[in-house]
Amino acid sequence: MHRVVFSFLAVLLAASAFAVELSDAQRAAVEARIKPVGESCMEGDSTCGAPVVAASTGPRSGEEVYNTACMACHSTGAAGAPKVGDATAWAARIAKGTDALYASGVNGVPGTGMMAKGGCVACSDEEIHAAVDFMVANSQ
Ligand code: HEC
């Protein structure tokens, strides 16, 4: 009887010893699986692992939105757009206040080349606000 109990314990011990001995690769795999979701990662950041970039769903920065959706007009002045960096062109617009500029960014300026969200239908209002902030910060 004692022998049976003893060998049962031995098996348990062996099993638990096995369970805690993970290789580095296994440990890394477990850590990757239990990582918090939504950990943000800037596009082009080489320190980020590819799977983390793919999982990132947070809003894009103002600079990113500007570079993809606004720069075409606002860096060249195309269609009469106030150029980013041209403090004179922006002074009167900035004087209207942030809310007015946010509204123009989201709704567009009727009768001009400034379409709603600058044409970026996939952009959230929050992302457009960030892009406006970026443009204003670089035009004063
Ligand atoms: C197709 C060209 C075009 C694109 C793309 C574009 N804009 Fe514009 N934007 C304009 C023009 C033209 C004006 C000037 C409108 C006017 O006469 O007041 C303007 C004006 C603005 C103003 C000032 C509005 C005001 O009330 O004075 C803001 C803010 C603005 N754009 C934000 C953005 C943002 C943010 C994006 C990108 C998401 C963007 N624009 C993309 C053409 C563009």
Side-chain angles (χ1 to χ4, degrees), residues 57-63 65-66 69-70 98-108 114-135:
T57 53
R60 289 172 294 166
S61 72
E63 184 172 6
V65 173
Y66 171 76
C70 321
T98 307
D99 286 346
L101 295 183
Y102 282 171
S104 298
V106 171
N107 305 321
M114 180 61 206
M115 300 162 282
K117 295 186 172 179
C120 179
V121 285
C123 290
S124 65
D125 288 6
E126 189 186 3
E127 288 173 329
I128 296 298
H129 294 175
V132 171
D133 288 343
F134 174 81
M135 291 163 70

Short mmCIF file of all heavy atoms in Angstrom, two decimals, residues 57-63 65-66 69-70 98-108 114-135:
data_model
loop_
_atom_site.label_atom_id
_atom_site.label_comp_id
_atom_site.label_asym_id
_atom_site.label_seq_id
_atom_site.Cartn_x
_atom_site.Cartn_y
_atom_site.Cartn_z
N THR A 57 -5.31 48.75 -32.81
CA THR A 57 -6.53 49.30 -33.38
C THR A 57 -6.77 50.71 -32.87
O THR A 57 -7.82 51.28 -33.11
CB THR A 57 -7.74 48.43 -33.00
OG1 THR A 57 -7.74 48.27 -31.58
CG2 THR A 57 -7.69 47.08 -33.68
N GLY A 58 -5.81 51.25 -32.12
CA GLY A 58 -6.01 52.58 -31.53
C GLY A 58 -6.04 53.64 -32.60
O GLY A 58 -5.70 53.38 -33.76
N PRO A 59 -6.49 54.87 -32.24
CA PRO A 59 -6.52 55.95 -33.22
C PRO A 59 -5.13 56.29 -33.72
O PRO A 59 -4.15 56.18 -32.98
CB PRO A 59 -7.14 57.12 -32.45
CG PRO A 59 -6.98 56.78 -31.02
CD PRO A 59 -6.90 55.28 -30.91
N ARG A 60 -5.04 56.72 -34.97
CA ARG A 60 -3.75 57.13 -35.52
C ARG A 60 -3.42 58.52 -35.00
O ARG A 60 -4.30 59.30 -34.67
CB ARG A 60 -3.83 57.14 -37.05
CG ARG A 60 -3.89 55.73 -37.63
CD ARG A 60 -4.15 55.76 -39.10
NE ARG A 60 -5.49 56.29 -39.35
CZ ARG A 60 -5.91 56.68 -40.55
NH1 ARG A 60 -5.10 56.61 -41.59
NH2 ARG A 60 -7.13 57.13 -40.71
N SER A 61 -2.13 58.84 -34.97
CA SER A 61 -1.73 60.15 -34.48
C SER A 61 -2.10 61.21 -35.52
O SER A 61 -2.32 60.91 -36.70
CB SER A 61 -0.22 60.17 -34.26
OG SER A 61 0.45 60.18 -35.51
N GLY A 62 -2.14 62.47 -35.06
CA GLY A 62 -2.45 63.56 -35.96
C GLY A 62 -1.47 63.62 -37.12
O GLY A 62 -1.85 63.89 -38.26
N GLU A 63 -0.22 63.37 -36.83
CA GLU A 63 0.80 63.43 -37.87
C GLU A 63 0.56 62.35 -38.93
O GLU A 63 0.68 62.59 -40.12
CB GLU A 63 2.20 63.27 -37.25
CG GLU A 63 3.31 63.41 -38.28
CD GLU A 63 4.69 63.45 -37.64
OE1 GLU A 63 4.80 63.25 -36.43
OE2 GLU A 63 5.65 63.70 -38.39
N VAL A 65 -2.31 60.90 -39.68
CA VAL A 65 -3.51 61.23 -40.46
C VAL A 65 -3.17 62.34 -41.45
O VAL A 65 -3.51 62.27 -42.63
CB VAL A 65 -4.67 61.65 -39.53
CG1 VAL A 65 -5.86 62.15 -40.34
CG2 VAL A 65 -5.09 60.49 -38.64
N TYR A 66 -2.46 63.35 -40.97
CA TYR A 66 -2.06 64.45 -41.85
C TYR A 66 -1.28 63.91 -43.05
O TYR A 66 -1.58 64.25 -44.20
CB TYR A 66 -1.22 65.49 -41.08
CG TYR A 66 -0.61 66.52 -42.00
CD1 TYR A 66 -1.41 67.54 -42.53
CD2 TYR A 66 0.73 66.46 -42.38
CE1 TYR A 66 -0.87 68.47 -43.42
CE2 TYR A 66 1.27 67.38 -43.25
CZ TYR A 66 0.47 68.39 -43.77
OH TYR A 66 0.99 69.29 -44.65
N ALA A 69 -3.83 61.80 -45.27
CA ALA A 69 -5.10 62.32 -45.79
C ALA A 69 -5.13 63.82 -46.06
O ALA A 69 -6.02 64.30 -46.77
CB ALA A 69 -6.22 61.97 -44.81
N CYS A 70 -4.21 64.60 -45.54
CA CYS A 70 -4.32 66.05 -45.62
C CYS A 70 -3.17 66.69 -46.38
O CYS A 70 -3.32 67.77 -46.97
CB CYS A 70 -4.36 66.67 -44.22
SG CYS A 70 -5.31 65.71 -43.02
N THR A 98 -10.35 76.60 -31.76
CA THR A 98 -10.14 75.18 -32.06
C THR A 98 -11.43 74.48 -32.49
O THR A 98 -11.42 73.69 -33.44
CB THR A 98 -9.57 74.47 -30.81
OG1 THR A 98 -8.41 75.19 -30.39
CG2 THR A 98 -9.15 73.05 -31.11
N ASP A 99 -12.56 74.79 -31.81
CA ASP A 99 -13.80 74.10 -32.15
C ASP A 99 -14.22 74.37 -33.59
O ASP A 99 -14.70 73.47 -34.29
CB ASP A 99 -14.92 74.51 -31.19
CG ASP A 99 -14.74 73.89 -29.81
OD1 ASP A 99 -13.92 72.95 -29.70
OD2 ASP A 99 -15.40 74.35 -28.86
N ALA A 100 -14.02 75.62 -34.04
CA ALA A 100 -14.39 75.96 -35.42
C ALA A 100 -13.52 75.19 -36.40
O ALA A 100 -14.00 74.70 -37.42
CB ALA A 100 -14.25 77.47 -35.64
N LEU A 101 -12.24 75.08 -36.09
CA LEU A 101 -11.34 74.35 -36.98
C LEU A 101 -11.65 72.86 -36.98
O LEU A 101 -11.60 72.20 -38.02
CB LEU A 101 -9.87 74.60 -36.60
CG LEU A 101 -9.41 76.05 -36.77
CD1 LEU A 101 -7.93 76.17 -36.42
CD2 LEU A 101 -9.65 76.56 -38.18
N TYR A 102 -11.99 72.33 -35.80
CA TYR A 102 -12.37 70.91 -35.73
C TYR A 102 -13.61 70.69 -36.62
O TYR A 102 -13.69 69.71 -37.35
CB TYR A 102 -12.73 70.51 -34.30
CG TYR A 102 -11.55 70.27 -33.37
CD1 TYR A 102 -11.76 70.08 -32.01
CD2 TYR A 102 -10.25 70.22 -33.84
CE1 TYR A 102 -10.71 69.84 -31.13
CE2 TYR A 102 -9.18 69.98 -32.97
CZ TYR A 102 -9.43 69.80 -31.62
OH TYR A 102 -8.38 69.57 -30.76
N ALA A 103 -14.57 71.62 -36.51
CA ALA A 103 -15.80 71.47 -37.29
C ALA A 103 -15.49 71.52 -38.78
O ALA A 103 -16.03 70.74 -39.57
CB ALA A 103 -16.80 72.57 -36.90
N SER A 104 -14.60 72.43 -39.19
CA SER A 104 -14.23 72.50 -40.61
C SER A 104 -13.54 71.21 -41.04
O SER A 104 -13.77 70.72 -42.15
CB SER A 104 -13.27 73.67 -40.87
OG SER A 104 -13.88 74.89 -40.56
N GLY A 105 -12.71 70.67 -40.17
CA GLY A 105 -12.01 69.43 -40.50
C GLY A 105 -12.98 68.28 -40.68
O GLY A 105 -12.88 67.50 -41.62
N VAL A 106 -13.94 68.17 -39.77
CA VAL A 106 -14.88 67.04 -39.80
C VAL A 106 -15.94 67.24 -40.89
O VAL A 106 -16.26 66.32 -41.64
CB VAL A 106 -15.55 66.85 -38.42
CG1 VAL A 106 -16.68 65.82 -38.50
CG2 VAL A 106 -14.50 66.40 -37.40
N ASN A 107 -16.50 68.45 -40.99
CA ASN A 107 -17.61 68.69 -41.92
C ASN A 107 -17.18 69.25 -43.27
O ASN A 107 -17.98 69.29 -44.20
CB ASN A 107 -18.61 69.68 -41.30
CG ASN A 107 -19.10 69.20 -39.93
OD1 ASN A 107 -19.33 68.01 -39.74
ND2 ASN A 107 -19.23 70.11 -38.99
N GLY A 108 -15.94 69.71 -43.35
CA GLY A 108 -15.48 70.34 -44.58
C GLY A 108 -15.89 71.81 -44.62
O GLY A 108 -16.54 72.30 -43.70
N MET A 114 -12.12 71.83 -49.59
CA MET A 114 -12.04 71.17 -48.27
C MET A 114 -13.29 70.32 -48.06
O MET A 114 -14.33 70.83 -47.65
CB MET A 114 -11.87 72.22 -47.16
CG MET A 114 -11.77 71.63 -45.75
SD MET A 114 -10.34 70.53 -45.59
CE MET A 114 -10.90 69.45 -44.27
N MET A 115 -13.16 69.04 -48.38
CA MET A 115 -14.28 68.11 -48.22
C MET A 115 -14.40 67.70 -46.76
O MET A 115 -13.47 67.87 -45.99
CB MET A 115 -14.03 66.84 -49.04
CG MET A 115 -13.86 67.07 -50.52
SD MET A 115 -13.06 65.63 -51.26
CE MET A 115 -11.35 65.89 -50.79
N ALA A 116 -15.52 67.09 -46.40
CA ALA A 116 -15.68 66.54 -45.06
C ALA A 116 -14.52 65.57 -44.79
O ALA A 116 -14.20 64.74 -45.65
CB ALA A 116 -17.02 65.80 -44.92
N LYS A 117 -13.91 65.72 -43.63
CA LYS A 117 -12.76 64.89 -43.23
C LYS A 117 -11.64 64.89 -44.27
O LYS A 117 -10.86 63.94 -44.34
CB LYS A 117 -13.21 63.45 -42.92
CG LYS A 117 -14.15 63.37 -41.73
CD LYS A 117 -14.48 61.94 -41.36
CE LYS A 117 -15.25 61.90 -40.05
NZ LYS A 117 -15.61 60.53 -39.64
N GLY A 118 -11.56 65.93 -45.08
CA GLY A 118 -10.53 65.99 -46.11
C GLY A 118 -10.64 64.81 -47.06
O GLY A 118 -9.68 64.48 -47.75
N GLY A 119 -11.82 64.18 -47.08
CA GLY A 119 -12.03 63.04 -47.97
C GLY A 119 -11.69 61.70 -47.32
O GLY A 119 -11.88 60.66 -47.92
N CYS A 120 -11.20 61.74 -46.08
CA CYS A 120 -10.82 60.48 -45.39
C CYS A 120 -12.04 59.92 -44.68
O CYS A 120 -12.23 60.14 -43.49
CB CYS A 120 -9.69 60.74 -44.40
SG CYS A 120 -9.19 59.24 -43.51
N VAL A 121 -12.86 59.17 -45.42
CA VAL A 121 -14.08 58.64 -44.82
C VAL A 121 -13.80 57.64 -43.70
O VAL A 121 -14.61 57.46 -42.81
CB VAL A 121 -15.00 57.98 -45.88
CG1 VAL A 121 -15.67 59.03 -46.72
CG2 VAL A 121 -14.22 57.01 -46.74
N ALA A 122 -12.62 57.00 -43.77
CA ALA A 122 -12.28 56.00 -42.74
C ALA A 122 -11.77 56.65 -41.45
O ALA A 122 -11.62 55.97 -40.44
CB ALA A 122 -11.24 55.04 -43.28
N CYS A 123 -11.50 57.96 -41.48
CA CYS A 123 -10.97 58.63 -40.29
C CYS A 123 -12.09 58.90 -39.28
O CYS A 123 -13.18 59.34 -39.66
CB CYS A 123 -10.33 59.97 -40.68
SG CYS A 123 -8.81 59.81 -41.62
N SER A 124 -11.79 58.68 -38.00
CA SER A 124 -12.76 59.03 -36.96
C SER A 124 -12.68 60.54 -36.71
O SER A 124 -11.69 61.18 -37.08
CB SER A 124 -12.41 58.28 -35.67
OG SER A 124 -11.16 58.73 -35.18
N ASP A 125 -13.69 61.09 -36.08
CA ASP A 125 -13.67 62.51 -35.72
C ASP A 125 -12.42 62.81 -34.88
O ASP A 125 -11.75 63.82 -35.06
CB ASP A 125 -14.92 62.90 -34.92
CG ASP A 125 -16.18 62.93 -35.78
OD1 ASP A 125 -16.11 62.53 -36.96
OD2 ASP A 125 -17.24 63.33 -35.26
N GLU A 126 -12.15 61.89 -33.95
CA GLU A 126 -10.99 62.03 -33.05
C GLU A 126 -9.69 62.15 -33.86
O GLU A 126 -8.81 62.95 -33.55
CB GLU A 126 -10.98 60.78 -32.18
CG GLU A 126 -10.02 60.79 -31.04
CD GLU A 126 -10.00 59.42 -30.33
OE1 GLU A 126 -10.69 58.47 -30.78
OE2 GLU A 126 -9.27 59.31 -29.34
N GLU A 127 -9.57 61.34 -34.89
CA GLU A 127 -8.35 61.38 -35.71
C GLU A 127 -8.27 62.69 -36.50
O GLU A 127 -7.18 63.25 -36.67
CB GLU A 127 -8.32 60.17 -36.66
CG GLU A 127 -8.02 58.86 -35.93
CD GLU A 127 -8.14 57.63 -36.81
OE1 GLU A 127 -8.98 57.63 -37.75
OE2 GLU A 127 -7.42 56.66 -36.56
N ILE A 128 -9.41 63.18 -36.97
CA ILE A 128 -9.42 64.46 -37.70
C ILE A 128 -9.01 65.58 -36.74
O ILE A 128 -8.21 66.46 -37.08
CB ILE A 128 -10.81 64.75 -38.31
CG1 ILE A 128 -11.16 63.69 -39.37
CG2 ILE A 128 -10.86 66.15 -38.91
CD1 ILE A 128 -10.23 63.63 -40.57
N HIS A 129 -9.55 65.54 -35.51
CA HIS A 129 -9.17 66.56 -34.52
C HIS A 129 -7.66 66.54 -34.29
O HIS A 129 -7.01 67.58 -34.22
CB HIS A 129 -9.90 66.32 -33.19
CG HIS A 129 -11.38 66.49 -33.26
ND1 HIS A 129 -12.21 66.22 -32.20
CD2 HIS A 129 -12.18 66.91 -34.28
CE1 HIS A 129 -13.48 66.47 -32.56
NE2 HIS A 129 -13.47 66.88 -33.82
N ALA A 130 -7.10 65.34 -34.19
CA ALA A 130 -5.65 65.21 -33.97
C ALA A 130 -4.88 65.78 -35.15
O ALA A 130 -3.85 66.44 -34.98
CB ALA A 130 -5.28 63.75 -33.72
N ALA A 131 -5.39 65.55 -36.37
CA ALA A 131 -4.71 66.08 -37.56
C ALA A 131 -4.78 67.60 -37.57
O ALA A 131 -3.80 68.28 -37.91
CB ALA A 131 -5.35 65.50 -38.83
N VAL A 132 -5.95 68.17 -37.17
CA VAL A 132 -6.08 69.63 -37.10
C VAL A 132 -5.09 70.17 -36.06
O VAL A 132 -4.39 71.16 -36.33
CB VAL A 132 -7.54 70.04 -36.75
CG1 VAL A 132 -7.63 71.53 -36.45
CG2 VAL A 132 -8.49 69.66 -37.89
N ASP A 133 -5.02 69.52 -34.91
CA ASP A 133 -4.06 69.95 -33.87
C ASP A 133 -2.65 69.95 -34.43
O ASP A 133 -1.87 70.89 -34.18
CB ASP A 133 -4.11 69.00 -32.65
CG ASP A 133 -5.38 69.15 -31.83
OD1 ASP A 133 -6.07 70.17 -31.98
OD2 ASP A 133 -5.68 68.23 -31.05
N PHE A 134 -2.31 68.91 -35.15
CA PHE A 134 -0.97 68.80 -35.73
C PHE A 134 -0.72 69.95 -36.72
O PHE A 134 0.35 70.58 -36.70
CB PHE A 134 -0.81 67.45 -36.44
CG PHE A 134 0.49 67.31 -37.19
CD1 PHE A 134 1.66 66.97 -36.51
CD2 PHE A 134 0.55 67.54 -38.55
CE1 PHE A 134 2.87 66.85 -37.19
CE2 PHE A 134 1.75 67.42 -39.24
CZ PHE A 134 2.92 67.09 -38.56
N MET A 135 -1.70 70.24 -37.57
CA MET A 135 -1.55 71.30 -38.56
C MET A 135 -1.39 72.66 -37.88
O MET A 135 -0.53 73.46 -38.25
CB MET A 135 -2.76 71.30 -39.52
CG MET A 135 -2.77 70.07 -40.43
SD MET A 135 -4.37 69.75 -41.20
CE MET A 135 -4.49 71.09 -42.34
#
